[in-house]
Structures are given as C-alpha cells and as structure tokens.
Amino acid sequence: MEKAIPNSFEYHYICYWNDGFRKSEENFPHLQKAYEIAPNRYETYDDFFSYYLVRDDHGKLKELAEKWMKSNDISAGIYAWNYNMLISCEPNAILITHGDNDTYPALILQLAKNIRPDIVVMNNSLLLVDDYRNAHFAKAGIKSMNADFSTFKSYEELNTALFGHIIENYGERPLYFGMGFNTDEFTLLKDKVFNVGMAWKYSEEKFDNIAVIKKNFEKYYLLDYLKYSFSNDNSQGVVTHMNANYLVAMLTLYNHYIESEDPKAEELKTMINHIAEANNMQDQVKDVLKGK
C-alpha cells in the first residue's frame, strides 16, 4: 500500500490501526492524515475518541461527539439503549461500562446533547490505561490505583482487583454498572448489585429495586423503538443483541404486574416476547413466564 497508494485514506488508517492502541501516540500522525483526507468517513471517529478519552481532552471530545452524532453512524436504537442506561442512574453517579456500544454512544449523548453530564462514565477496559484511569478516578473522587495489570492471570482476577479498589474508594457517589456486564463478572460483588432496569446498582444494603425498575420503565425510558421500527437500521443486529439486556428487568416487572393485577402486564408481555423471539430466547423466556 505504501508503494501503490501512499497518499490514501486507507493507507494511513491501516498504518495507525495495525499497530493498535498501544502505539497510538507514535502513529497518531497517520490517523490525523487519514482524517484530513476524508474528514466525513466515520471509521476514524472511535479511534480519535479513544485517543482523546485517554488524554481527557474535553474540548476535542465534545467537538468529535457533535460531528459523530451528525454523521448518523450510530443508530437511533443504540442511542435509545444508552439513554435508558444513563437515565437509570441517580444524580452524580459513577457508571462503569463494558464495551464500545455502551460507552461511546453514552458519552456522545452527554457531550453532544447534554444528557446526564453529571454522571462519570468509565469504561472497564480503558481503566487499564494509566492516564485514563487516573483522570477518571480523579473526576469520580476515587484515589489513584497503582497496579501492574499484566501480572493478573485472568480477566476475573483483574476485575476483582479493579472493582475492589473502586468499591473501597468510591465515596458518596452512587455506583452503577451498565447492563453490558454479565452477572458472572460480579463475583466479588455477590449479592450487592441490584438491577434497576438498564443498569446494576451497587449497594451495601438491600432496597426495593422493583419499585425503581417500575418507575424507570413507566416514567423515564424511551421504549417505542422496542415496539415499532420505521427505518432500515444498518445496525439492527447489534441493536437486537443489546435489547436482550432489557429482559432481566422486564421479566421482574412483569411478575410484579401479575402479582398486583396490573393490566400493563399484557403490553409488557408482548414486548418481552418480541425481544425474546428476535434473540432466539423464546424457550428461556417461556420457562420464566410459565403459568403466569
């Protein structure tokens, strides 16, 4: 490529991408050059976002978030999912997210649309990067953590150390984990995480999380996109997979509606079955709904 198309977007972007995140500083000029050649090609946006996140450059992040939203690269369904995750959290919360699809869209909503900017969003994987971790821990009021993450023998061991430090030092802010996390990843937390809809809340004491789920679904969540789709979503496969995360809270809420003889149970059951069918989870859901 260097010989055949040295001044192309593809050449410069692949030069940056091939060496990965670890050499981003050294290869950043390639990313910049790719962007200069084709500023409206959104393939580079997540790379720039990661680069500026690690450096905590709020100005560049805001500028990029606004441009990324205008590009329509990220679907409305993914934004709605992330909106519901953000809105699940109490004011001034810390929210730990799991992957790309529950981190970048949430940050774009904060930066470009001013939706829940009070929440400190921290990506679990990026917390392994010293500069990112130090900057975001400082924002959240968590004392710094010095650790050689390469010494941990498993993902579970690494998460245990990271989550343990956060839990010991997170102070007065409410602490949440996004629904991108599987409960198997909460080994350390055991019975101290409670589902509140599209997030898990960490709490030392038990509380009425069903009341919180009910409030979120009935008052705050954007749910129409789960019932009807009027567009051809290029990310429908991703959206469908992400929507499966609603089932934990929906099944809990459905059982509550049945016990309280609330007529909203039927509408919710329809939505549950729709999500289950799209994810080939009919049998699992049928077992939970059996006899209801």
Side-chain angles (χ1 to χ4, degrees):
M1 290 183 74
E2 186 175 10
K3 292 179 181 179
I5 49 172
N7 297 314
S8 66
F9 170 91
E10 288 76 11
Y11 168 68
H12 287 289
Y13 185 50
I14 289 174
C15 282
Y16 176 82
W17 193 81
N18 272 352
D19 281 323
F21 185 76
R22 289 173 295 179
K23 293 185 178 180
S24 61
E25 191 69 52
E26 178 184 335
N27 292 308
F28 188 62
H30 279 297
L31 186 63
Q32 288 179 307
K33 187 63 177 176
Y35 179 79
E36 289 170 9
I37 293 169
N40 293 321
R41 287 189 61 169
Y42 44 71
E43 294 100 310
T44 61
Y45 293 177
D46 59 339
D47 297 287
F48 275 112
F49 220 82
S50 296
Y51 183 87
Y52 293 128
L53 271 176
V54 169
R55 287 149 187 82
D56 197 32
D57 190 329
H58 186 271
K60 288 290 187 181
L61 286 169
K62 181 172 175 57
E63 178 184 327
L64 185 59
E66 292 171 351
K67 187 177 181 68
W68 202 346
M69 174 158 273
K70 288 178 183 177
S71 75
N72 292 322
D73 172 43
I74 298 173
S75 79
I78 293 176
Y79 280 128
W81 192 100
N82 278 267
Y83 175 91
N84 291 340
M85 176 180 67
L86 287 172
I87 217 74
S88 299
C89 302
E90 295 167 276
N92 301 310
I94 298 167
L95 172 63
I96 302 175
T97 56
H98 190 265
D100 294 354
N101 289 318
D102 65 343
T103 301
Y104 295 137
L107 292 170
I108 292 169
L109 290 175
Q110 288 185 316
L111 292 162
K113 293 297 183 181
N114 201 38
I115 294 170
R116 295 306 306 271
D118 56 300
I119 298 172
V120 179
V121 176
M122 300 192 293
N123 177 270
N124 188 48
S125 297
L126 286 176
L127 284 172
L128 306 184
V129 181
D130 291 344
D131 289 344
Y132 177 90
R133 184 178 65 256
N134 292 337
H136 284 74
F137 276 10
K139 285 182 185 178
I142 299 171
K143 77 175 185 180
S144 61
M145 177 185 183
N146 297 315
D148 181 359
F149 292 104
S150 65
T151 63
F152 294 108
K153 298 177 181 178
S154 67
Y155 181 71
E156 181 181 351
E157 187 178 318
L158 187 152
N159 263 359
T160 297
L162 188 59
F163 292 168
H165 179 86
I166 291 171
I167 288 165
E168 289 175 7
N169 298 283
Y170 74 95
E172 298 299 318
R173 286 177 176 262
L175 176 61
Y176 291 82
F177 296 84
M179 282 301 292
F181 282 100
N182 188 295
T183 51
D184 293 340
E185 298 177 85
F186 296 142
T187 305
L188 172 73
L189 312 185
K190 295 182 181 177
D191 57 350
K192 295 182 180 179
V193 286
F194 302 84
N195 181 262
V196 292
M198 291 309 293
W200 304 96
K201 180 181 179 182
Y202 177 84
S203 176
E204 294 285 342
E205 305 291 335
K206 290 184 177 181
F207 64 95
D208 187 359
N209 65 310
I210 296 177
V212 180
I213 292 171
K214 184 173 184 288
K215 176 188 69 175
N216 285 334
F217 272 89
E218 292 183 358
K219 294 183 65 177
Y220 299 125
Y221 284 176
L222 302 176
L223 297 174
D224 282 351
Y225 84 104
L226 297 175
K227 306 173 188 176
Y228 310 105
S229 178
F230 300 111
S231 64
N232 181 21
D233 192 338
N234 291 331
S235 300
Q236 189 57 56
V238 176
V239 175
T240 296
H241 179 72
M242 293 176 72
N243 287 347
N245 290 285
Y246 282 100
L247 292 175
V248 173
M250 282 183 171
L251 289 167
T252 301
L253 183 58
Y254 176 77
N255 288 333
H256 171 74
Y257 282 158
I258 290 296
E259 291 171 6
S260 58
E261 299 182 352
D262 192 317
K264 290 190 288 292
E266 281 307 306
E267 181 183 4
L268 184 58
K269 185 177 182 180
T270 300
M271 204 181 307
I272 288 170
N273 285 327
H274 176 71
I275 294 171
E277 182 178 356
N279 285 279
N280 295 314
M281 298 175 68
Q282 300 98 313
D283 290 341
Q284 297 97 308
V285 167
K286 192 181 297 183
D287 288 341
V288 178
L289 297 179
K290 192 177 294 182
K292 298 295 184 181

